[in-house]
Every structure is written in structure tokens, then in C-alpha cells.
């Protein structure tokens, strides 16, 4: 990926729109999985373009109080983590929560 400083304002806006879309996809996949207060915190971070904090909040909530999640949710987390270049977490821990129906 090109350095952030090298991106035009249009490219930055496109990047943010795509992250917002991916975050909505994740939140749709986690409908009924996160508590109302957990989902509200994630929405608050997202509303302020704090996507990294939003994704880390999702991760923390799911790992601290394990719940079954869909393949779609795991994929959405992976896509967001990759887009944000977040390597600090072991995102694969979410694999263990995957619903294996």
C-alpha cells in the first residue's frame, strides 16, 4: 500500500468510505452477538473515524467474553485489520469462536 502521505485527498476519502463500509459489514455480522452497550461503543468510535479503536473494541469484547460468531464476522475482522495494517493483535484468536455448523 502507498504511504498515507502520498495519497490524494480523494484517495483518503475513498479509503475512509471503504473502511466505514467494512465496519458496517462487520457490525451487521455481529448483530445480536455484541451487547447493546458494546455495539454502541463501536458505533461511537466509527462515527468519529476511529476505526482502529472500533475494531480493537470488537476484538476485546469477543475474546474477553467468548461468543460464537459467523465466518462472515471473522472475514470482516480480517479485512479491516488488513486494511488498517493492524498486526498488533492475534486476530486468529477469533477463529476459535467461529460457528462450525
Amino acid at each position: 500500500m502507498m504511504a498515507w502521505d502520498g495519497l490524494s485527498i480523494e484517495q483518503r476519502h475513498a479509503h475512509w468510505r471503504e473502511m466505514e463500509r467494512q465496519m458496517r459489514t462487520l457490525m451487521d455480522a455481529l448483530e445480536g452477538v455484541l451487547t447493546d452497550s458494546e455495539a454502541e461503543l463501536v458505533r461511537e468510535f466509527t462515527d468519529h473515524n476511529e476505526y482502529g479503536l472500533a475494531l480493537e473494541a470488537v476484538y476485546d469484547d469477543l475474546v474477553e467474553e467468548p461468543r460464537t460468531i459467523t465466518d462472515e464476522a471473522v472475514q470482516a475482522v480480517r479485512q479491516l485489520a488488513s486494511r488498517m495494517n493492524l498486526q498488533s493483535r492475534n486476530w486468529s484468536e477469533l477463529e476459535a469462536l467461529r460457528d462450525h455448523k
Side-chain angles (χ1 to χ4, degrees), residues 58-72:
V58 166
Y59 176 88
D60 289 343
D61 291 336
L62 294 174
V63 171
E64 288 170 12
E65 288 184 36
R67 297 156 245 199
T68 301
I69 58 175
T70 64
D71 285 340
E72 182 186 10

Side-chain angles (χ1 to χ4, degrees), residues 27-86:
M27 293 308 289
D28 289 347
L30 293 175
E31 183 79 32
V33 175
L34 295 178
T35 67
D36 289 346
S37 62
E38 289 167 344
E40 181 56 36
L41 180 62
V42 173
R43 272 192 295 276
E44 210 171 290
F45 284 141
T46 302
D47 288 348
H48 291 94
N49 297 327
E50 294 287 354
Y51 301 109
L53 291 174
L55 188 59
E56 289 192 2
V58 166
Y59 176 88
D60 289 343
D61 291 336
L62 294 174
V63 171
E64 288 170 12
E65 288 184 36
R67 297 156 245 199
T68 301
I69 58 175
T70 64
D71 285 340
E72 182 186 10
V74 172
Q75 191 60 32
V77 168
R78 286 187 172 284
Q79 286 176 344
L80 277 162
S82 174
R83 176 167 281 279
M84 288 187 262
N85 227 1
L86 289 176

